[in-house]
């Protein structure tokens, strides 16, 4: 999934330019062994819907979804698996709304009272009947199907290529000390904002300065634990790529959200190891050609708690200079 799609890819609107981009989520929980989803009521429209809203300037789609969920129902929770976007026409033209699943996980909800005056937990079947916009049933159906396959309860594993560094040709000191360029510093800030959508509590990174500086804004803002691993550097990967693969494999052991930051030459090894934990359809979504990711770009793998396998893959570039 790209964060900068401007053309509809649905058969209902082939090639039509998108005029309005929005994002939101379907909050869910398990109560008495049954799946429930959260509908919101918007007094302005007198409708039942999911938390969602339009992108702010400079905002990525995941950031928008996380922000809207917090603003409308007071929930600060990481995004789960992506759900199919919906397309429909508004006065400005074609509108697309990107959706994610969000596990409420027992958190208290606080509707803002203005945009959302009430919420309702209900079974998916009841929600489908109450939704005012029939298009909103599409992401709901996907969420229900994912639950049936044990692919709804997941944790995110994120892979980040470090932000843009100063050119090698203009750096005469130790390679590990080569810092970010001015563009890279701005990219690192954007990476930090985007990571808030998944809120990983730990980061595993190459100890080289350009990687550490890329994850530093997020680590500071989120008080995330940072672990430096030499096997993620260019030099050690070149000598022992299997050790880089072992670092990736170890991320699956703890079954909780984590971000990994490394260098372009190590990315093929990282993706190959990730590919061992997913089916062929998802493996085809992983970058296969050099440079694999642009500086500051990231891959998000959603890993099923039940299956221990990657069940969804996303790709985002948070900053373009």
């Amino acid at each position: 999934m790209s964060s900068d799609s401007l053309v509809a890819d649905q058969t209902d609107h082939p090639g039509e330019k998108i005029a309005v981009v929005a994002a939101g989520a379907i909050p869910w929980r398990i109560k008495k062994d049954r799946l429930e989803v959260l509908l919101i009521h918007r007094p302005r429209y007198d409708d039942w819907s999911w938390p969602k809203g339009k992108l702010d300037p400079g905002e990525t789609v995941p950031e928008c979804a996380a922000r809207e969920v917090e603003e409308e129902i007071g929930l600060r929770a990481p995004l789960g698996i992506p759900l199919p976007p919906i397309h429909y026409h508004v006065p400005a033209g074609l509108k697309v709304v990107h959706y994610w699943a969000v596990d409420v996980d027992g958190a208290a909800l606080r509707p803002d009272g203005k945009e959302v005056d009430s919420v309702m937990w209900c079974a998916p079947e009841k929600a489908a009947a109450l939704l005012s916009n029939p298009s909103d049933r599409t992401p709901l159906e996907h969420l229900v199907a994912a639950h049936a396959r044990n692919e709804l309860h997941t944790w995110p594993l994120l892979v980040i290529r470090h932000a843009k560094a100063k050119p090698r040709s203009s750096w005469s000191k130790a390679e590990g000390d080569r810092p970010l360029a001015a563009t890279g510093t701005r990219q690192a800030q954007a990476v930090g904002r985007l990571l808030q959508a998944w809120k990983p509590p730990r980061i595993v990174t190459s100890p080289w300065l350009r990687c550490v500086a890329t994850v530093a804004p997020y680590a500071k803002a989120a008080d995330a634990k940072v672990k430096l691993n030499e096997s993620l550097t260019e030099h050690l990967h070149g000598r022992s790529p299997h050790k880089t693969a072992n670092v990736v494999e170890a991320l699956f052991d703890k079954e909780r959200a984590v971000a990994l930051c490394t260098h372009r030459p190590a990315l093929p090894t990282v993706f190959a190891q990730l590919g061992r934990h997913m089916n062929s359809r998802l493996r085809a979504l992983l970058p296969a050609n050099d440079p694999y990711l642009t500086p500051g770009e990231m891959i998000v793998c959603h890993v099923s708690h039940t299956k221990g396998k990657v069940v969804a893959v996303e790709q985002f570039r948070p900053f373009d200079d």
Side-chain angles (χ1 to χ4, degrees):
M1 178 185 293
S2 171
S3 61
D4 54 6
S5 177
L6 297 177
V7 177
D9 58 1
Q10 288 197 339
T11 55
D12 293 342
H13 311 283
E16 185 175 352
K17 287 189 176 181
I18 293 170
V20 180
V21 180
I26 301 182
W28 64 273
R29 71 181 183 185
I30 302 297
K31 188 172 184 180
K32 296 181 179 178
D33 295 325
R34 294 183 179 273
L35 175 66
E36 292 185 341
V37 293
L38 185 84
L39 287 173
I40 65 168
H41 183 263
R42 302 184 299 175
R44 178 181 177 184
Y45 305 101
D46 189 23
D47 69 352
W48 289 99
S49 182
W50 312 119
K52 64 178 183 293
K54 292 187 292 187
L55 268 68
D56 283 344
E59 192 174 44
T60 62
V61 178
E63 289 174 74
C64 175
R67 174 181 56 77
E68 287 290 341
V69 168
E70 181 175 3
E71 289 179 356
E72 293 193 346
I73 61 174
L75 176 65
R76 295 189 76 251
L79 299 182
I81 60 169
L83 303 172
I86 64 172
H87 298 76
Y88 55 94
H89 285 98
V90 295
L94 185 63
K95 179 176 181 178
V96 60
V97 186
H98 297 272
Y99 281 110
W100 282 263
V102 169
D103 184 0
V104 174
D105 196 25
L109 303 179
R110 300 182 304 277
D112 70 353
K114 182 179 180 181
E115 293 189 44
V116 177
D117 61 354
S118 63
V119 299
M120 178 191 302
W121 282 107
C122 57
E125 298 80 9
K126 183 176 180 179
L130 289 173
L131 284 166
S132 301
N133 183 351
S135 298
D136 278 335
R137 295 171 188 160
T138 299
L140 173 62
E141 291 168 357
H142 188 91
L143 183 148
V144 172
H147 173 64
R149 298 191 303 267
N150 291 318
E151 295 180 358
L152 182 58
H153 187 208
T154 60
W155 56 274
L157 191 164
L158 304 101
V159 176
I160 309 158
R161 179 183 170 186
H162 69 72
K164 187 174 182 179
K166 287 189 175 182
R168 296 178 194 266
S169 59
S170 63
W171 186 254
S172 59
K173 299 179 183 179
E175 180 63 13
D177 294 333
R178 184 156 59 94
L180 296 181
T183 296
T185 299
R186 294 191 290 272
Q187 286 175 338
Q189 294 293 333
V191 166
R193 293 190 296 270
L194 182 53
L195 285 175
Q196 292 286 352
W198 296 279
K199 299 175 174 56
R202 61 191 181 111
I203 301 169
V204 180
T205 180
S206 159
W208 286 9
L209 180 58
R210 51 191 181 272
C211 283
V212 174
T214 297
V215 299
Y218 173 76
K220 182 178 180 180
D223 195 25
K225 181 179 179 181
V226 178
K227 181 178 180 180
L228 308 180
N229 195 306
E230 290 284 346
S231 293
L232 295 176
T233 63
E234 287 186 32
H235 286 174
L236 265 70
H237 170 263
R239 293 201 296 266
S240 303
H242 69 280
K243 291 185 178 180
T244 306
N246 290 342
V247 174
V248 177
E249 187 63 28
L251 300 180
F252 286 86
D253 295 340
K254 294 187 177 181
E255 296 188 358
R256 62 189 180 99
V258 61
L260 178 148
C261 185
T262 189
H263 308 261
R264 179 190 57 80
L267 290 175
T269 298
V270 171
F271 293 147
Q273 193 64 31
L274 289 174
R276 296 174 178 268
H277 293 267
M278 61 184 73
N279 60 33
S280 58
R281 179 183 63 84
L282 293 178
R283 279 197 298 273
L285 298 178
L286 295 174
N289 299 309
D290 195 14
Y292 308 102
L293 295 175
T294 60
E297 194 170 13
M298 67 181 70
I299 292 288
V300 185
C301 295
H302 298 269
V303 187
S304 166
H305 278 284
T306 303
K307 294 183 173 181
K309 297 289 186 180
V310 176
V311 297
V313 173
E314 303 179 90
Q315 184 172 344
F316 296 103
R317 184 170 59 246
F319 181 89
D320 284 314
D321 196 25

mmCIF file of all heavy atoms in Angstrom, residues 24 52 83 85 94 103 112 123 131 133 136 152 155 162 181 201 223 230 255 259 280 284 286 294 297 299 312:
data_model
loop_
_atom_site.group_PDB
_atom_site.id
_atom_site.type_symbol
_atom_site.label_atom_id
_atom_site.label_comp_id
_atom_site.label_asym_id
_atom_site.label_seq_id
_atom_site.Cartn_x
_atom_site.Cartn_y
_atom_site.Cartn_z
ATOM 1 N N GLY A 24 -9.201 6.214 8.443
ATOM 2 C CA GLY A 24 -9.851 5.908 9.707
ATOM 3 C C GLY A 24 -9.608 4.467 10.101
ATOM 4 O O GLY A 24 -8.692 3.815 9.580
ATOM 5 N N LYS A 52 -13.123 8.399 11.320
ATOM 6 C CA LYS A 52 -12.343 8.720 10.116
ATOM 7 C C LYS A 52 -12.341 10.223 9.912
ATOM 8 O O LYS A 52 -13.122 10.956 10.525
ATOM 9 C CB LYS A 52 -12.925 8.042 8.881
ATOM 10 C CG LYS A 52 -14.328 8.503 8.499
ATOM 11 C CD LYS A 52 -14.779 7.813 7.242
ATOM 12 C CE LYS A 52 -16.156 8.293 6.787
ATOM 13 N NZ LYS A 52 -17.230 7.912 7.710
ATOM 14 N N LEU A 83 -7.199 -2.587 6.039
ATOM 15 C CA LEU A 83 -8.462 -3.053 5.490
ATOM 16 C C LEU A 83 -8.667 -2.389 4.124
ATOM 17 O O LEU A 83 -8.072 -1.355 3.840
ATOM 18 C CB LEU A 83 -9.616 -2.699 6.435
ATOM 19 C CG LEU A 83 -9.483 -3.232 7.864
ATOM 20 C CD1 LEU A 83 -10.580 -2.666 8.752
ATOM 21 C CD2 LEU A 83 -9.511 -4.766 7.879
ATOM 22 N N PRO A 85 -9.630 -0.024 1.218
ATOM 23 C CA PRO A 85 -10.165 1.337 1.163
ATOM 24 C C PRO A 85 -11.493 1.357 0.429
ATOM 25 O O PRO A 85 -11.818 0.430 -0.331
ATOM 26 C CB PRO A 85 -9.098 2.095 0.373
ATOM 27 C CG PRO A 85 -8.473 1.055 -0.499
ATOM 28 C CD PRO A 85 -8.495 -0.224 0.302
ATOM 29 N N LEU A 94 -14.163 12.396 -6.440
ATOM 30 C CA LEU A 94 -14.023 11.050 -5.892
ATOM 31 C C LEU A 94 -13.264 11.100 -4.564
ATOM 32 O O LEU A 94 -12.200 11.708 -4.477
ATOM 33 C CB LEU A 94 -13.281 10.152 -6.880
ATOM 34 C CG LEU A 94 -13.175 8.674 -6.486
ATOM 35 C CD1 LEU A 94 -14.548 8.022 -6.390
ATOM 36 C CD2 LEU A 94 -12.304 7.920 -7.496
ATOM 37 N N ASP A 103 -7.307 -2.714 17.606
ATOM 38 C CA ASP A 103 -7.679 -3.489 18.787
ATOM 39 C C ASP A 103 -7.816 -2.544 19.984
ATOM 40 O O ASP A 103 -6.836 -1.941 20.417
ATOM 41 C CB ASP A 103 -6.602 -4.545 19.059
ATOM 42 C CG ASP A 103 -6.951 -5.466 20.213
ATOM 43 O OD1 ASP A 103 -8.030 -5.298 20.823
ATOM 44 O OD2 ASP A 103 -6.135 -6.353 20.506
ATOM 45 N N ASP A 112 -15.598 12.615 21.601
ATOM 46 C CA ASP A 112 -15.321 14.048 21.793
ATOM 47 C C ASP A 112 -16.572 14.876 22.058
ATOM 48 O O ASP A 112 -16.481 16.015 22.498
ATOM 49 C CB ASP A 112 -14.540 14.603 20.601
ATOM 50 C CG ASP A 112 -15.373 14.676 19.326
ATOM 51 O OD1 ASP A 112 -16.511 14.170 19.320
ATOM 52 O OD2 ASP A 112 -14.890 15.250 18.344
ATOM 53 N N ALA A 123 -22.331 -6.617 17.412
ATOM 54 C CA ALA A 123 -21.846 -7.690 16.550
ATOM 55 C C ALA A 123 -21.691 -7.161 15.128
ATOM 56 O O ALA A 123 -22.391 -6.233 14.726
ATOM 57 C CB ALA A 123 -22.828 -8.853 16.569
ATOM 58 N N LEU A 131 -24.887 0.669 9.464
ATOM 59 C CA LEU A 131 -24.020 1.601 8.756
ATOM 60 C C LEU A 131 -24.819 2.434 7.752
ATOM 61 O O LEU A 131 -25.564 1.900 6.933
ATOM 62 C CB LEU A 131 -22.903 0.851 8.028
ATOM 63 C CG LEU A 131 -21.758 0.338 8.907
ATOM 64 C CD1 LEU A 131 -20.908 -0.666 8.126
ATOM 65 C CD2 LEU A 131 -20.890 1.493 9.406
ATOM 66 N N ASN A 133 -23.507 4.421 5.360
ATOM 67 C CA ASN A 133 -22.887 4.343 4.049
ATOM 68 C C ASN A 133 -22.642 2.870 3.718
ATOM 69 O O ASN A 133 -21.796 2.227 4.339
ATOM 70 C CB ASN A 133 -21.573 5.117 4.032
ATOM 71 C CG ASN A 133 -20.913 5.129 2.661
ATOM 72 O OD1 ASN A 133 -21.326 4.427 1.747
ATOM 73 N ND2 ASN A 133 -19.858 5.930 2.508
ATOM 74 N N ASP A 136 -19.145 1.303 3.651
ATOM 75 C CA ASP A 136 -18.403 1.017 4.876
ATOM 76 C C ASP A 136 -18.477 -0.452 5.276
ATOM 77 O O ASP A 136 -17.784 -0.877 6.203
ATOM 78 C CB ASP A 136 -18.931 1.887 6.026
ATOM 79 C CG ASP A 136 -18.352 3.292 6.019
ATOM 80 O OD1 ASP A 136 -17.244 3.450 5.475
ATOM 81 O OD2 ASP A 136 -18.982 4.209 6.553
ATOM 82 N N LEU A 152 -6.524 -11.467 12.705
ATOM 83 C CA LEU A 152 -6.915 -10.121 13.129
ATOM 84 C C LEU A 152 -6.050 -9.626 14.285
ATOM 85 O O LEU A 152 -5.690 -8.448 14.337
ATOM 86 C CB LEU A 152 -8.394 -10.114 13.527
ATOM 87 C CG LEU A 152 -8.983 -8.777 13.961
ATOM 88 C CD1 LEU A 152 -8.826 -7.722 12.872
ATOM 89 C CD2 LEU A 152 -10.469 -8.945 14.326
ATOM 90 N N TRP A 155 0.732 -8.202 15.675
ATOM 91 C CA TRP A 155 1.704 -7.210 16.149
ATOM 92 C C TRP A 155 2.562 -6.783 14.956
ATOM 93 O O TRP A 155 2.786 -7.568 14.035
ATOM 94 C CB TRP A 155 2.576 -7.770 17.279
ATOM 95 C CG TRP A 155 3.326 -9.024 16.981
ATOM 96 C CD1 TRP A 155 2.889 -10.309 17.106
ATOM 97 C CD2 TRP A 155 4.684 -9.118 16.510
ATOM 98 N NE1 TRP A 155 3.882 -11.196 16.740
ATOM 99 C CE2 TRP A 155 4.984 -10.490 16.372
ATOM 100 C CE3 TRP A 155 5.665 -8.172 16.207
ATOM 101 C CZ2 TRP A 155 6.232 -10.944 15.933
ATOM 102 C CZ3 TRP A 155 6.907 -8.615 15.757
ATOM 103 C CH2 TRP A 155 7.176 -9.986 15.635
ATOM 104 N N HIS A 162 17.627 3.662 6.745
ATOM 105 C CA HIS A 162 18.014 4.930 7.366
ATOM 106 C C HIS A 162 17.782 6.102 6.428
ATOM 107 O O HIS A 162 17.779 5.963 5.190
ATOM 108 C CB HIS A 162 19.460 4.894 7.851
ATOM 109 C CG HIS A 162 20.477 4.859 6.747
ATOM 110 N ND1 HIS A 162 20.762 5.943 5.942
ATOM 111 C CD2 HIS A 162 21.291 3.863 6.322
ATOM 112 C CE1 HIS A 162 21.701 5.625 5.075
ATOM 113 N NE2 HIS A 162 22.034 4.364 5.278
ATOM 114 N N ALA A 181 22.292 13.909 6.176
ATOM 115 C CA ALA A 181 22.262 15.185 5.475
ATOM 116 C C ALA A 181 21.096 16.008 6.020
ATOM 117 O O ALA A 181 20.288 15.514 6.809
ATOM 118 C CB ALA A 181 22.098 14.944 3.976
ATOM 119 N N PRO A 201 7.412 -0.354 21.010
ATOM 120 C CA PRO A 201 8.101 0.018 22.246
ATOM 121 C C PRO A 201 9.594 -0.252 22.217
ATOM 122 O O PRO A 201 10.312 0.128 23.135
ATOM 123 C CB PRO A 201 7.420 -0.852 23.294
ATOM 124 C CG PRO A 201 7.015 -2.075 22.546
ATOM 125 C CD PRO A 201 6.642 -1.602 21.158
ATOM 126 N N ASP A 223 9.793 7.239 24.177
ATOM 127 C CA ASP A 223 10.565 6.578 25.225
ATOM 128 C C ASP A 223 10.745 5.096 24.893
ATOM 129 O O ASP A 223 10.601 4.222 25.754
ATOM 130 C CB ASP A 223 9.880 6.748 26.590
ATOM 131 C CG ASP A 223 10.812 6.396 27.745
ATOM 132 O OD1 ASP A 223 12.045 6.483 27.571
ATOM 133 O OD2 ASP A 223 10.309 6.020 28.823
ATOM 134 N N GLU A 230 25.504 -4.809 15.924
ATOM 135 C CA GLU A 230 26.546 -4.678 14.907
ATOM 136 C C GLU A 230 26.236 -5.482 13.649
ATOM 137 O O GLU A 230 26.687 -5.138 12.551
ATOM 138 C CB GLU A 230 27.891 -5.129 15.481
ATOM 139 C CG GLU A 230 28.479 -4.202 16.530
ATOM 140 C CD GLU A 230 29.095 -2.946 15.913
ATOM 141 O OE1 GLU A 230 29.292 -2.927 14.676
ATOM 142 O OE2 GLU A 230 29.382 -2.001 16.671
ATOM 143 N N GLU A 255 7.230 -11.633 20.076
ATOM 144 C CA GLU A 255 5.834 -11.420 19.676
ATOM 145 C C GLU A 255 5.275 -10.085 20.158
ATOM 146 O O GLU A 255 4.168 -10.005 20.686
ATOM 147 C CB GLU A 255 4.948 -12.568 20.187
ATOM 148 C CG GLU A 255 5.291 -13.916 19.596
ATOM 149 C CD GLU A 255 4.302 -14.989 19.969
ATOM 150 O OE1 GLU A 255 3.367 -14.691 20.733
ATOM 151 O OE2 GLU A 255 4.458 -16.126 19.504
ATOM 152 N N ALA A 259 10.651 -2.181 15.725
ATOM 153 C CA ALA A 259 11.136 -1.576 14.487
ATOM 154 C C ALA A 259 12.614 -1.896 14.335
ATOM 155 O O ALA A 259 13.366 -1.908 15.319
ATOM 156 C CB ALA A 259 10.921 -0.064 14.501
ATOM 157 N N SER A 280 3.440 -16.764 -0.538
ATOM 158 C CA SER A 280 4.034 -16.251 -1.769
ATOM 159 C C SER A 280 3.388 -14.943 -2.219
ATOM 160 O O SER A 280 4.059 -14.086 -2.798
ATOM 161 C CB SER A 280 3.922 -17.298 -2.880
ATOM 162 O OG SER A 280 2.559 -17.649 -3.105
ATOM 163 N N ALA A 284 5.641 -11.436 -2.652
ATOM 164 C CA ALA A 284 5.694 -10.666 -3.893
ATOM 165 C C ALA A 284 5.548 -9.171 -3.645
ATOM 166 O O ALA A 284 5.892 -8.360 -4.523
ATOM 167 C CB ALA A 284 4.599 -11.143 -4.846
ATOM 168 N N LEU A 286 7.144 -7.608 -1.174
ATOM 169 C CA LEU A 286 8.395 -7.093 -0.639
ATOM 170 C C LEU A 286 9.262 -6.550 -1.774
ATOM 171 O O LEU A 286 9.306 -7.128 -2.862
ATOM 172 C CB LEU A 286 9.159 -8.202 0.101
ATOM 173 C CG LEU A 286 8.491 -8.745 1.363
ATOM 174 C CD1 LEU A 286 9.284 -9.938 1.906
ATOM 175 C CD2 LEU A 286 8.368 -7.660 2.427
ATOM 176 N N THR A 294 13.677 3.604 -0.494
ATOM 177 C CA THR A 294 14.328 4.907 -0.546
ATOM 178 C C THR A 294 14.703 5.316 0.872
ATOM 179 O O THR A 294 14.170 4.765 1.850
ATOM 180 C CB THR A 294 13.402 5.964 -1.163
ATOM 181 O OG1 THR A 294 12.215 6.065 -0.363
ATOM 182 C CG2 THR A 294 13.020 5.601 -2.587
ATOM 183 N N GLU A 297 12.267 5.259 4.002
ATOM 184 C CA GLU A 297 11.067 4.475 3.681
ATOM 185 C C GLU A 297 11.004 3.238 4.572
ATOM 186 O O GLU A 297 12.015 2.748 5.064
ATOM 187 C CB GLU A 297 11.099 4.070 2.206
ATOM 188 C CG GLU A 297 9.774 3.566 1.680
ATOM 189 C CD GLU A 297 9.782 3.408 0.162
ATOM 190 O OE1 GLU A 297 10.884 3.447 -0.442
ATOM 191 O OE2 GLU A 297 8.699 3.252 -0.421
ATOM 192 N N ILE A 299 8.836 -0.692 5.567
ATOM 193 C CA ILE A 299 7.918 -1.806 5.356
ATOM 194 C C ILE A 299 7.288 -2.149 6.699
ATOM 195 O O ILE A 299 7.981 -2.194 7.725
ATOM 196 C CB ILE A 299 8.672 -3.048 4.809
ATOM 197 C CG1 ILE A 299 9.168 -2.789 3.381
ATOM 198 C CG2 ILE A 299 7.797 -4.289 4.854
ATOM 199 C CD1 ILE A 299 8.078 -2.765 2.337
ATOM 200 N N ALA A 312 -0.050 -9.538 6.639
ATOM 201 C CA ALA A 312 -0.272 -8.334 5.835
ATOM 202 C C ALA A 312 1.045 -7.570 5.731
ATOM 203 O O ALA A 312 1.852 -7.575 6.670
ATOM 204 C CB ALA A 312 -1.356 -7.452 6.439
#
